[in-house]
Amino acid sequence: MENKELRQLQNNVQVIGTLKSKDLEIKTSKKGNKYMSGNLVVLSKFDNHVQEIKISVFMMESSKLFKGIETVKNEYKTIEDNGADAADRIEVNGELTLNEYYNAQGNLVQFNQVKGIFFNRLDETNDRPDKAIATIDTVVQGFEPVIKNDLPTGEYKVKGFTVGWGNEVIELKNTIVGPELAESFMDLYPAGSTGQLNFKINNYAVVDGVKESENQVSHGFGSTEKAEARQVTNYVNNIEVIGGEIPYFGDKAYTEEEIETALQIRKLKLQELSQPAEDTPPSGFGSNGNDLPPGSLPTGMEPPQDDNPFSDAPNTDDMPDF
């Protein structure tokens, strides 16, 4: 395929909340370049839910922004390490990316994640509300009704993509629009439309209520008060369309040719991803002691099978060749 340069589209994510945990490490690439890698988890409280948003971190030491993430590593306080009262409230600005790889069972795992770029600690007087939102120029490809128990829920799955730097085509996975916006959104955005959409990032547990014990005559001793058992039955993890502008027209809209080029780039990327690593010629005896190839993952490191897009999945950018 002829190498065509696609236009980069806007892709901005903002997360505000309390820093729950940080797992950051300075490493050295195969060519001796230092970089910071790891993740943060931010608790963001909105819509009557405690959202747990995972932020992926990858930054070269040569970057002008490295000092910022180094400060996060060395100084920021977390709920896990310092307690809820002492933990820092932070703002993270970044972008939505696509993480994908084949797991040990040979299954393709794909999920979007938030990549942090700018990190700011908020002081106690800052009253900006918690949030986890994204504004992304999106090429909308189509819609599919969400069916549960053989009945439509009114929600629709949204199929689409955005384009990052260097012809990176980022598919939007597990993306929905709710019943209150679905009709107007679909009327405004026929397949092939390009426009700026606003999203809310959801990742929270749903509690199905409290199981109460029946009153029974006690034959024991002391207090008969018992702890109530809470049953978590479901997790909500998706990217939800919450609004947007009218579709672009003219030069700002992606053309049919550009869309086709983007789809071909995605097809090629998936083909390359599915190709097994080259075998190393055997030497000596027994299994060879080579490290795993870049991007491959040992058994047991796959993300949970509930396809949580913001779960504790490994960062496959963690083994750079440069």
Side-chain angles (χ1 to χ4, degrees):
M1 182 182 70
E2 183 183 349
N3 186 19
K4 296 182 180 179
E5 189 68 26
L6 291 173
R7 288 178 290 148
Q8 184 174 352
L9 298 176
Q10 178 176 309
N11 179 353
N12 298 320
V13 175
Q14 182 185 48
V15 177
I16 295 178
T18 304
L19 186 57
K20 178 185 178 183
S21 65
K22 58 182 179 180
D23 181 13
L24 300 172
E25 186 178 354
I26 297 177
K27 299 181 180 181
T28 304
S29 71
K30 293 179 179 180
K31 293 188 178 180
N33 299 309
K34 290 187 177 180
Y35 63 96
M36 184 82 74
S37 175
N39 62 78
L40 312 175
V41 177
V42 177
L43 293 188
S44 192
K45 299 179 181 179
F46 56 87
D47 291 350
N48 298 315
H49 298 293
V50 179
Q51 312 271 358
E52 190 162 308
I53 310 298
K54 184 176 180 179
I55 312 293
S56 171
V57 174
F58 182 88
M59 193 170 296
M60 300 302 298
E61 187 183 40
S62 58
S63 170
K64 295 180 180 179
L65 302 175
F66 187 81
K67 288 292 184 183
I69 190 58
E70 193 172 39
T71 300
V72 175
K73 179 181 184 299
N74 296 332
E75 299 181 15
Y76 281 26
K77 296 178 180 179
T78 69
I79 294 174
E80 288 189 357
D81 294 336
N82 308 98
D85 292 337
D88 285 316
R89 214 167 156 260
I90 69 172
E91 175 184 352
V92 180
N93 289 276
E95 61 186 9
L96 197 72
T97 63
L98 177 64
N99 197 357
E100 53 187 355
Y101 57 90
Y102 280 90
N103 63 15
Q105 290 72 41
N107 299 318
L108 179 60
V109 180
Q110 297 175 301
F111 55 94
N112 294 116
Q113 61 185 13
V114 178
K115 179 181 180 181
I117 300 174
F118 301 97
F119 306 87
N120 293 291
R121 186 164 33 187
L122 305 179
D123 60 38
E124 294 180 356
T125 62
N126 194 307
D127 59 358
R128 297 168 65 192
D130 286 4
K131 63 179 68 177
I133 59 174
T135 300
I136 301 173
D137 286 348
T138 307
V139 178
V140 175
Q141 298 170 273
F143 305 90
E144 179 184 337
V146 175
I147 305 296
K148 289 185 179 179
N149 300 322
D150 297 325
L151 295 173
T153 65
E155 293 181 333
Y156 283 79
K157 297 178 182 178
V158 182
K159 186 178 182 181
F161 65 86
T162 190
V163 178
W165 180 82
N167 277 9
E168 181 186 11
V169 180
I170 303 163
E171 288 188 51
L172 301 185
K173 297 293 182 180
N174 204 21
T175 302
I176 66 162
V177 59
E180 66 284 352
L181 294 179
E183 184 176 353
S184 58
F185 179 37
M186 290 188 293
D187 287 344
L188 196 59
Y189 275 80
S193 300
T194 307
Q196 186 179 98
L197 301 180
N198 300 320
F199 302 89
K200 179 176 61 175
I201 299 171
N202 294 311
N203 188 45
Y204 58 90
V206 176
V207 180
D208 193 32
V210 179
K211 181 180 179 181
E212 298 181 356
S213 301
E214 297 180 2
N215 293 326
Q216 296 180 347
V217 177
S218 174
H219 298 288
F221 63 95
S223 174
T224 60
E225 184 177 6
K226 297 181 181 180
E228 298 171 335
R230 291 187 176 270
Q231 182 67 42
V232 177
T233 60
N234 192 23
Y235 289 89
V236 174
N237 41 70
N238 56 43
I239 304 169
E240 181 182 354
V241 177
I242 57 173
E245 302 296 333
I246 62 173
Y248 295 143
F249 59 91
D251 293 340
K252 292 194 71 175
Y254 251 48
T255 65
E256 291 184 7
E257 182 181 0
E258 287 175 310
I259 293 173
E260 181 60 29
T261 299
L263 296 178
Q264 289 298 321
I265 289 173
R266 273 299 295 157
K267 183 178 179 180
L268 182 61
K269 173 67 181 294
L270 291 173
Q271 288 175 350
E272 293 173 348
L273 197 65
S274 65
Q275 293 174 356
E278 294 182 5
D279 293 333
T280 303
S283 61
F285 58 92
S287 62
N288 67 59
N290 294 334
D291 291 336
L292 291 168
S296 65
L297 298 163
T299 303
M301 288 186 64
E302 299 81 22
Q305 294 304 309
D306 59 3
D307 294 329
N308 185 343
F310 309 105
S311 64
D312 294 328
N315 183 356
T316 55
D317 290 333
D318 220 18
M319 302 178 68
D321 293 318
F322 45 81

